[in-house]
Amino acid sequence: MNRRRPLIAAVAASTAIVLIASCSSSSKKGGTSGTNPPPPSGSSSSSGGTPSTGPALIKDGYTVKGGTVNILVQANFEHLDPVQNYVTNSGNVGKLIYRTLTVFDDTPGKAPVIKADIAVKSGPGDYIGIPNKDQTVWTYKIQKGLKFQDGSAITAADIKYNVERLFAADVYKDGATYLRDLLVNSNNYAGPYKDPNKDLTSVQTPDPYTLVFHFASGQPDADMMMSLFYTAPVPKAKDTKQDYDFKPVSSGPYMITKYTPNKELVLGRNPNWSAATDPNRPALPDSFDITMGIAPATVSQRLIANQGSDQSALSIDNSSDIQPGDVSKLQGAKDRFVNGAGPCVFYNIFNENKIKDADVRHAFALALNRQAAITALNGTLFGSIPSSFIAANVRGFQPANLGLKDTGDIPAAKALLQGKTVPKSITYGYSQGRPAQKALALQWQSDLKKLGVNVTIQSIPTDSFYKTLRTDPGPVDIALAGWCWDWPTMASIVPPVLGPDATQKTWSTSNFSKYFDSVTAKQITALAGSTEAPATVDQQFATLANQIQTTNWPFVPTQAALNPILVGSKIHNVGVSGIWSLPDLNIIGVEP
Amino acid sequence: MVKFLIRRFVALIGLLIAVSIVTFGLFTIGPSDPAADSCGKSCTPERIGQIKVALGLDKPLVTQYWEYMKGLVAGREMGPPGARYHCGWPCFGRSYQDNQFVWDAIKQALPYTISLALGAALIWLVFGVGFGVIAGLNKGKLIDKLSVGVASLGVSLPVPLIGLTLILLVNTDWRWLPYTSGQAPALPWDSGGPVAWFKNFLLPWFTLAAIFSASYVRLTRANMIETMGEDYIRTATAKGLPRRTVTLKHGLRAAITPIVTIFGLDLGGLLGGAVLTEFIYSLPGLGKLSADAVNNGDLPKILALVLFAAFFVIVANIIVDILYAVVDPRVRLD
Amino acid sequence: MSLSAGDLDTLVAEAESGDYERTSEKAIEGRSLYSLAWRRIRRSKVAMVSFGFIVLLLLVAIFAPVLTAIEGYGPTQLNNTPDIISLGGQSLSGPVAGSVLKFRLPSADHWLGVTPVQGRDIFARLVYGARVSLTIALLATLVSVVLGTLLGAIAAYFRGVVDSVISRLMDLLLAFPQLLLILSLTPILQNRLGNTSLGHGSTLPIVSLVIILGFFGWPYLGRIVRGQVLSLREREFVEAARALGASPGRIVVKEIIPNVVAVVLIYATLAIPTNITAEAALSFLGAGVRDPTPSWGQMLNEAQNGNWYQNDPWIMLVPGVALLLTVLAFNLFGDAVRDALDPRASRG
């Protein structure tokens, strides 16, 4: 399975969860999805500071329509039903099939910008929706004349219907839930199946082209929240419930023409989609032919070999399934290969409730040979040594002065440990089935041995990895966690990773180090809701985060993930998407 | 004879039920909690409860088992209130992973497993029995010694070694087999036609057949030697029957008969999925389906595949028993 | 496999082979059955070579720490300094340089080379892996032997309901698709065991493998032992002993057990390679022994993961050939043991 990623989320810090992705192309599920606090008010897009995501595109500038893109993936898509579609690979395909109220413009090489999709930009300034004074009520106007694949008209009622489905929590177990969590729900609405006679009063449709959302609290980033798939229109008459995963009705440029689960998914053009209404989707290829169930090793070899139909192929699996053992063969494929930083940074957390002395944590961080750690995590193709737990392409980024040596600094570590009580034995927990994490564990074992500390390596079943890390104090002392931003601002990263939970009395659920300090907690929360100028807030955030990092040592930044992408020789317009870390299927072109 | 058949059939049903109870119990009482595992962000006990309803785990175990068995035999209604759906016979539920009906997934995977099993079976029967007979008839000569030697080696070969070495040879040097070509594993009726199917299955067939061939050589050879040493063979030869008749008509038949029963058992076992071979070659058969389901904690699939495989094993056993009874009347008196 | 006729046949075989020193009384006593068998084994060159290999292997496994001390590298020691391993660098602006790995092939320093990425010494992993693989196989066989012998004998001796229950249990276990069930049960078992004092360390997979392989192996032996004891019960010498006034216990110990032991020995020599193969398969699939504990199956898993073996076939061939030779040796020796204890089969 692919790395799971949320699309965009904007909620209070209390419901934050960390996305932990694997750097290896193993076929395991990725982590849970991340959510983020609201960015500073007034800005729904990033401005200033140009985050660089590395070299932009392979063979860009292509505008020829036609051809079929072959996509090779390891596993079946979990969900194509928009209300449950919440992971990167199926999300990438979902964007081709359905439209949402808003959508991120994600040109590689530039910061993502939120744009109107089904909605019509009607708000003041950069806003797409129209907020009321305290931003609890948001009104969206949608385009007229949009059609489903069968020619029937798309109206506000269809969007409302999908939001209603979101409330059928006992039918749909997966998917983003922000609207369900944040909208007013005074009558305990439980979905259109259980409560066909009740109405979801917090979403109103005064006319067929207007939607009004009532939130329980102010939501400055509602525009971003609306880009998730729960605002994709679903016609009530065609709602097949659990089977909608296999027959979603298209509102986007492509529709499903053939779907054999676990085998093949073919997308063809949606005749009732109008390019004029959808400037965000060039929709160049005529069709997409997705073959599922191919082993990662095979995908890797086929893409490298570039034979026959594979010349129009690519993969939307993590890192294009490139196997570490095949890296040497990429030499001959330079012109169809691109690599770039994405939104993810991985760091080894220290469980502060078990390793209680900040100096000991600092010493451990000093001891780690981060260069070897990069190699353990599959090498320099897949990651680089970071200078902070925050990704370098985040607006207002400032490197922390970590004072660490790339190959580890044992003498300094030993000096720091003088006179301290050092735990004789440490447990490193790795997610089962992640060879890369296992290799990293071995590196820790080797490095900490030099300090006289024994590391016990414990494997944790993938499904309960986060559960285990969250238990307090828990069995694990050190583990690999990570954060992939949903949009590139400090406020979306620092509060969930280092901040408090909703009660302000303890650490938040994504704060796996269990770091908590009442002073910084207040500071973080204040900054998160600050209305000052973005640049000022960014700077204050960065300073605060770096200060916590270098004095408290809750973790040691280990790997800034890179995302190698390899495509067939006939594919054009491929870049590392800043949000997805995958090739963006919407802009791709192919030679027929 | 009829009484014998009825008794065996009753035993079959009994065993299937026992297997189903044990399997169901093992997997539902296990420490894994699929509801809690699916529960992502903001996991509250209430949310876990809702997921349990979605997955049908909220009812008492006995009810779950009963409904499951009912579904297997006659289909059943599933799903949370308001979103019920019909799961046709045989109902194995829906996958936790991608919501597909497990029976559909099994149907998809079955042709690959059957292809693999039958192709390999043909190869190991021809080579195994063939060389076994030859070796048995030429005991002590070079061909015998060679066969025994190679067979001993073959029986000891680890499957991963065979598989990975073959892939290595084909992949790096020859490239005429489709391991890196543009084809996904194909069935004879897929776009590549029988040729693609053949190319794709050649290596897996030989890998799977290798060990079986070796053991069948040994088995057949031993049987052959024992049979040819029997008194009645000596009598027949003494009576003046041509050697060929003696060998083929009397000797071979007696030697092969036990092989047939063992073959039935082996084939039955393979129809549940040759996990190792499918894993190595990434063939989307029942074995790979099982390995993936285990990795993903997809309980409905795991349960279904274990029951399915056990079914084939038990049925194969029964068929073998019946064959024995047909051939040897003494058995029926058991 | 009927040893009942074996005693008589042994005499005949001895007579045929010209070993006239054996007297008939001695031949019937259980004890000299073994020295007889050993004599036969000794005569087979193949058997002796296999036996020698097995002994060598056991020595290597026992003295693994000594061997690695001589070579200088441990099995979990990382030798991944850049001068040994270089995965080839690349920068953001362009793709890869080549991947150059030195010291992969055997050298005077690393006798069998090193693994990719971490540069762990393959020889060290091989000898420590021998420990793990052999330990698991031997212990699992022991578990099967104990369970199978006990339950099979009990079922046959007491008959009736006890026999029914145990026989049905054996049928049930044999009806399951073994690899599949082991594969799916292993995580559950490990989870359960992990919560006990055993903890989640490296002994957990080993213990759970021993339990699970041992548990799935006993029905085979159980059936054989049951059959054996059943036939022995009715044998003349048992009746004779009973007629002479011997107690049931004495009958069991002096008459039944020695014959059963022979069967068990034969089973064991076949079960050991089967368990070695099973552990290798499970570890290869990722459900058995895990890093950093080395086992031969685990080394194969490492080789196959990430496609490293295509770059570097050596890391796959070493554990693969080791497995092949070990299983071959056990199989050949097992054949010889069987032939020795049951001459009728060897006459074929």
Side-chain angles (χ1 to χ4, degrees):
Chain A
M1 283 305 292
N2 248 315
R3 183 178 67 162
R4 286 178 138 212
R5 282 222 52 211
L7 303 184
I8 300 299
V11 239
S14 62
T15 56
I17 289 184
V18 168
L19 173 75
I20 297 177
S22 163
C23 304
S24 77
S25 348
S26 69
S27 54
K28 302 304 284 271
K29 261 200 292 206
T32 51
S33 47
T35 69
N36 308 269
S41 59
S43 71
S44 56
S45 62
S46 29
S47 51
T50 349
S52 145
T53 51
L57 297 166
I58 304 173
K59 303 178 182 166
D60 60 342
Y62 194 70
T63 52
V64 177
K65 287 201 196 275
T68 300
V69 174
N70 293 313
I71 302 184
L72 313 172
V73 293
Q74 310 173 8
N76 206 14
F77 294 123
E78 283 190 5
H79 296 290
L80 289 180
D81 180 340
V83 87
Q84 295 204 79
N85 189 342
Y86 197 25
V87 302
T88 30
N89 55 346
S90 53
N92 209 348
V93 170
K95 281 195 321 176
L96 296 171
I97 305 178
Y98 22 81
R99 301 175 65 175
T100 42
L101 275 180
T102 59
V103 78
F104 264 93
D105 175 1
D106 186 27
T107 312
K110 302 202 189 124
V113 170
I114 193 78
K115 293 244 162 82
D117 192 4
I118 297 184
V120 174
K121 181 176 172 352
S122 348
D126 283 332
Y127 287 135
I128 296 167
I130 308 168
N132 69 346
K133 193 117 167 281
D134 60 358
Q135 299 181 331
T136 54
V137 179
W138 285 77
T139 307
Y140 287 87
K141 301 250 174 232
I142 66 173
Q143 296 186 44
K144 300 190 168 74
L146 296 181
K147 301 202 182 111
F148 284 114
Q149 72 188 66
D150 58 359
S152 54
I154 297 178
T155 64
D158 299 312
I159 298 182
K160 175 173 176 178
Y161 183 66
N162 200 17
V163 179
E164 287 177 355
R165 293 169 85 233
L166 184 58
F167 283 80
D170 59 345
V171 180
Y172 303 117
K173 69 172 171 74
D174 292 324
T177 59
Y178 305 114
L179 284 190
R180 184 168 78 215
D181 295 334
L182 298 174
L183 286 174
V184 174
N185 187 6
S186 45
N187 58 354
N188 273 322
Y189 182 71
Y193 314 127
K194 241 182 170 173
D195 289 339
N197 297 320
K198 274 200 212 164
D199 184 37
L200 179 60
T201 47
S202 46
V203 179
Q204 293 163 340
T205 53
D207 68 66
Y209 302 103
T210 309
L211 283 152
V212 184
F213 294 89
H214 295 262
F215 292 98
S217 60
Q219 301 296 332
D221 37 279
D223 284 341
M224 280 181 252
M225 208 190 308
M226 296 302 167
S227 67
L228 269 72
F229 290 138
Y230 37 56
T231 64
V234 171
K236 185 165 180 168
K238 298 245 171 104
D239 180 9
T240 47
K241 302 178 195 158
Q242 288 99 340
D243 284 325
Y244 202 71
D245 267 334
F246 305 106
K247 296 178 250 194
V249 176
S250 161
S251 47
Y254 298 92
M255 61 185 198
I256 295 181
T257 54
K258 179 176 171 204
Y259 189 8
T260 316
N262 258 314
K263 228 176 151 202
E264 196 186 15
L265 170 64
V266 180
L267 300 178
R269 286 197 190 276
N270 174 3
N272 283 301
W273 169 80
S274 145
T277 64
D278 198 350
N280 292 312
R281 297 183 174 82
L284 297 176
D286 280 336
S287 65
F288 289 87
D289 191 344
I290 304 170
T291 314
M292 304 174 225
I294 308 183
T298 313
V299 175
S300 176
Q301 288 168 334
R302 283 173 63 169
L303 288 177
I304 290 173
N306 197 34
Q307 303 286 315
S309 61
D310 291 338
Q311 288 176 354
S312 345
L314 58 98
S315 175
I316 53 176
D317 286 337
N318 228 7
S319 308
S320 298
D321 282 334
I322 297 176
Q323 298 293 300
D326 290 337
V327 162
S328 56
K329 301 180 198 156
L330 289 174
Q331 266 295 43
K334 282 186 193 170
D335 58 335
R336 36 196 197 91
F337 173 87
V338 73
N339 202 353
C344 303
V345 177
F346 296 90
Y347 40 89
N348 277 294
I349 55 109
F350 300 118
N351 185 344
E352 299 206 359
N353 281 356
K354 294 191 83 185
I355 312 178
K356 301 197 175 164
D357 190 337
D359 283 337
V360 173
R361 300 195 291 268
H362 187 184
F364 287 173
L366 279 167
L368 180 65
N369 179 345
R370 293 193 300 163
Q371 200 173 76
I374 295 287
T375 310
L377 294 171
N378 290 323
T380 48
L381 193 66
F382 298 88
S384 57
I385 299 180
S387 55
S388 161
F389 70 99
I390 300 175
N393 50 17
V394 171
R395 194 186 68 200
F397 174 79
Q398 281 171 38
N401 242 332
L402 294 175
L404 301 175
K405 287 210 182 115
D406 281 353
T407 47
D409 193 348
I410 300 292
K414 281 199 178 139
L416 205 53
L417 288 179
Q418 289 287 356
K420 303 267 176 182
T421 15
V422 186
K424 274 283 155 262
S425 166
I426 290 278
T427 305
Y428 189 96
Y430 76 91
S431 178
Q432 217 171 298
R434 298 281 169 89
Q437 280 195 28
K438 205 169 40 172
L440 181 58
L442 292 169
Q443 187 60 43
W444 272 104
Q445 203 178 45
S446 161
D447 287 334
L448 288 190
K449 203 164 187 193
K450 302 176 190 156
L451 298 181
V453 178
N454 266 333
V455 173
T456 316
I457 299 180
Q458 174 174 330
S459 82
I460 306 172
T462 313
D463 282 335
S464 40
F465 186 68
Y466 312 116
K467 229 183 350 185
T468 312
L469 287 192
R470 279 191 198 112
T471 50
D472 179 32
V476 170
D477 298 308
I478 309 180
L480 187 70
W483 187 262
C484 303
W485 52 252
D486 288 320
W487 61 87
T489 64
M490 294 281 166
S492 73
I493 304 172
V494 181
V497 177
L498 288 177
D501 69 347
T503 67
Q504 302 284 321
K505 292 207 175 72
T506 184
W507 58 87
S508 85
T509 45
S510 309
N511 186 339
F512 293 115
S513 314
K514 307 192 176 80
Y515 161 80
F516 179 75
D517 177 280
S518 45
V519 172
T520 59
K522 290 205 190 77
Q523 291 174 314
I524 291 175
T525 314
L527 277 175
S530 168
T531 49
E532 289 189 63
T536 323
V537 175
D538 284 345
Q539 202 213 28
Q540 291 174 331
F541 247 133
T543 315
L544 180 57
N546 289 345
Q547 179 212 320
I548 299 176
Q549 166 73 71
T550 49
T551 52
N552 184 279
W553 288 96
F555 35 63
V556 52
T558 312
Q559 187 207 46
L562 291 172
N563 305 283
I565 294 179
L566 181 66
V567 300
S569 44
K570 294 188 180 163
I571 302 278
H572 292 255
N573 299 349
V574 178
V576 179
S577 148
I579 301 179
W580 305 91
S581 308
L582 299 174
D584 184 354
L585 293 179
N586 268 320
I587 59 172
I588 272 187
V590 63
E591 293 168 31
Chain B
M1 184 64 185
V2 176
K3 262 209 315 195
F4 174 79
L5 280 176
I6 292 179
R7 245 182 307 141
R8 295 319 270 137
F9 188 69
V10 168
L12 163 77
I13 300 291
L15 203 50
L16 279 174
I17 292 183
V19 165
S20 71
I21 294 181
V22 171
T23 316
F24 193 85
L26 277 176
F27 288 119
T28 49
I29 308 182
S32 66
D33 185 355
D37 289 338
S38 308
C39 181
K41 20 174 302 242
S42 52
C43 194
T44 59
E46 190 207 356
R47 180 77 192 118
I48 296 185
Q50 288 169 335
I51 297 180
K52 278 206 166 123
V53 175
L55 297 178
L57 296 174
D58 53 325
K59 310 198 186 86
L61 271 171
V62 179
T63 319
Q64 284 185 44
Y65 173 74
W66 176 243
E67 293 196 345
Y68 190 85
M69 294 310 284
K70 214 166 50 145
L72 265 186
V73 175
R76 61 174 163 139
E77 297 296 308
M78 292 178 70
R84 309 282 289 169
Y85 55 88
H86 179 73
C87 178
W89 163 91
C91 175
F92 290 105
R94 296 185 102 123
S95 159
Y96 285 171
Q97 201 56 22
D98 58 11
N99 227 9
Q100 196 195 10
F101 281 111
V102 175
W103 175 234
D104 288 341
I106 291 181
K107 273 193 292 186
Q108 261 182 345
L110 206 49
Y112 293 93
T113 296
I114 293 181
S115 275
L116 182 60
L118 289 181
L122 192 63
I123 295 179
W124 91 58
L125 274 182
V126 167
F127 279 101
V129 174
F131 275 99
V133 167
I134 296 176
L137 289 177
N138 295 298
K139 175 165 154 56
K141 302 202 196 126
L142 181 64
I143 182 80
D144 175 33
K145 296 216 165 114
L146 221 60
S147 301
V148 169
V150 171
S152 297
L153 193 68
V155 147
S156 318
L157 279 171
V159 176
L161 180 62
I162 308 173
L164 294 179
T165 309
L166 282 177
I167 294 176
L168 211 52
L169 289 175
V170 166
N171 219 21
T172 30
D173 292 346
W174 302 336
R175 280 189 194 275
W176 62 273
L177 284 180
Y179 199 70
T180 51
S181 82
Q183 313 286 337
L187 294 169
W189 48 83
D190 282 344
S191 55
V195 177
W197 171 69
F198 188 80
K199 276 184 168 184
N200 270 289
F201 274 87
L202 203 59
L203 286 187
W205 280 335
F206 274 99
T207 307
L208 189 56
I211 301 187
F212 283 108
S213 306
S215 98
Y216 275 58
V217 164
R218 284 152 64 99
L219 204 57
T220 313
R221 176 184 173 276
N223 279 354
M224 203 61 207
I225 290 174
E226 180 165 339
T227 309
M228 293 308 278
E230 292 283 350
D231 291 334
Y232 70 89
I233 295 289
R234 258 181 286 193
T235 313
T237 317
K239 280 207 303 195
L241 283 171
R243 183 174 153 76
R244 249 187 95 168
T245 316
V246 173
T247 313
L248 294 179
K249 197 159 167 221
H250 299 287
L252 202 63
R253 206 169 57 170
I256 301 281
T257 313
I259 305 282
V260 171
T261 53
I262 295 199
F263 175 71
L265 295 176
D266 283 340
L267 195 59
L270 275 188
L271 287 176
V275 179
L276 266 185
T277 311
E278 290 183 22
F279 178 80
I280 294 173
Y281 291 100
S282 265
L283 290 173
L286 294 179
K288 179 151 186 292
L289 206 63
S290 318
D292 287 343
V294 168
N295 273 337
N296 289 325
D298 194 346
L299 288 181
K301 258 196 201 147
I302 300 175
L303 185 54
L305 287 163
V306 171
L307 287 178
F308 208 69
F311 175 76
F312 276 125
V313 169
I314 297 174
V315 165
N317 264 287
I318 302 292
I319 292 182
V320 159
D321 276 353
I322 294 178
L323 278 177
Y324 250 133
V326 165
V327 166
D328 185 355
R330 292 175 297 174
V331 176
R332 288 179 231 158
L333 299 174
D334 178 8
Chain C
M1 197 172 323
S2 65
L3 275 185
S4 45
D7 304 331
L8 207 52
D9 274 77
T10 314
L11 278 178
V12 176
E14 287 310 293
E16 280 191 319
S17 63
D19 199 340
Y20 293 107
E21 285 155 26
R22 200 83 26 254
T23 63
S24 39
E25 300 95 52
K26 266 197 169 179
I28 294 177
E29 264 192 53
R31 253 180 300 141
S32 72
L33 182 65
Y34 301 116
S35 51
L36 237 120
W38 179 240
R39 205 157 306 200
R40 297 174 65 97
I41 292 175
R42 266 224 312 253
R43 246 179 269 140
S44 159
K45 260 186 283 196
V46 170
M48 287 319 284
V49 169
S50 320
F51 184 67
F53 184 84
I54 294 173
V55 169
L56 180 65
L57 191 63
L58 283 170
L59 287 175
V60 163
I62 295 174
F63 289 108
V66 174
L67 290 168
T68 52
I70 298 177
E71 194 211 19
Y73 296 98
T76 52
Q77 181 185 348
L78 303 182
N79 307 298
N80 52 0
T81 47
D83 59 318
I84 296 185
I85 304 269
S86 149
L87 269 182
Q90 60 39 262
S91 64
L92 277 185
S93 57
V96 283
S99 157
V100 177
L101 294 115
K102 312 171 204 175
F103 293 160
R104 275 264 185 76
L105 291 174
S107 63
D109 210 13
H110 293 274
W111 298 348
L112 287 177
V114 294
T115 62
V117 181
Q118 284 135 345
R120 291 183 293 184
D121 184 78
I122 293 183
F123 175 75
R125 290 183 72 72
L126 189 68
V127 299
Y128 271 88
R131 271 194 164 186
V132 174
S133 300
L134 282 177
T135 308
I136 294 178
L138 290 171
L139 285 180
T141 308
L142 190 63
V143 170
S144 297
V145 161
V146 168
L147 280 177
T149 314
L150 228 64
L151 290 171
I154 291 176
Y157 201 72
F158 291 106
R159 309 223 62 186
V161 176
V162 174
D163 184 15
S164 273
V165 167
I166 295 183
S167 294
R168 291 291 84 80
L169 188 59
M170 292 196 287
D171 282 346
L172 183 62
L173 279 172
L174 287 172
F176 280 106
Q178 296 236 331
L179 186 57
L180 186 49
L181 204 59
I182 296 179
L183 206 55
S184 13
L185 285 180
T186 303
I188 297 182
L189 180 66
Q190 285 186 347
N191 219 315
R192 275 270 156 79
L193 286 179
N195 293 328
T196 64
S197 55
L198 198 57
H200 281 277
S202 53
T203 37
L204 175 63
I206 296 178
V207 170
S208 65
L209 271 177
V210 166
I211 293 178
I212 234 176
L213 286 176
F215 184 70
F216 276 97
W218 79 260
Y220 285 108
L221 183 59
R223 267 202 177 160
I224 296 174
V225 168
R226 177 180 172 276
Q228 185 67 12
V229 175
L230 269 179
S231 71
L232 283 175
R233 264 178 123 243
E234 319 303 329
R235 290 280 292 135
E236 301 84 27
F237 58 87
V238 172
E239 288 215 29
R242 223 182 286 145
L244 284 174
S247 68
R250 194 182 154 75
I251 296 179
V252 165
V253 170
K254 285 233 85 180
E255 314 293 348
I256 296 186
I257 286 190
N259 284 292
V260 169
V261 170
V263 187
V264 168
L265 266 180
I266 295 177
Y267 165 82
T269 52
L270 295 177
I272 294 176
T274 309
N275 281 329
I276 294 180
T277 311
E279 180 270 319
L282 287 169
S283 301
F284 174 69
L285 291 173
V289 177
R290 288 194 290 267
D291 241 345
T293 323
S295 96
W296 292 345
Q298 210 278 324
M299 289 170 75
L300 283 173
N301 173 290
E302 259 183 61
Q304 186 250 12
N305 233 317
N307 251 8
W308 283 114
Y309 75 100
Q310 302 221 347
N311 228 343
D312 194 26
W314 191 246
I315 58 178
M316 180 267 295
L317 288 173
V318 166
V321 171
L323 272 169
L324 172 58
L325 292 176
T326 306
V327 173
L328 185 61
F330 272 103
N331 274 334
L332 290 175
F333 188 63
D335 281 351
V337 168
R338 188 179 46 218
D339 289 351
L341 287 174
D342 181 16
R344 220 159 64 115
S346 76
R347 269 158 38 109

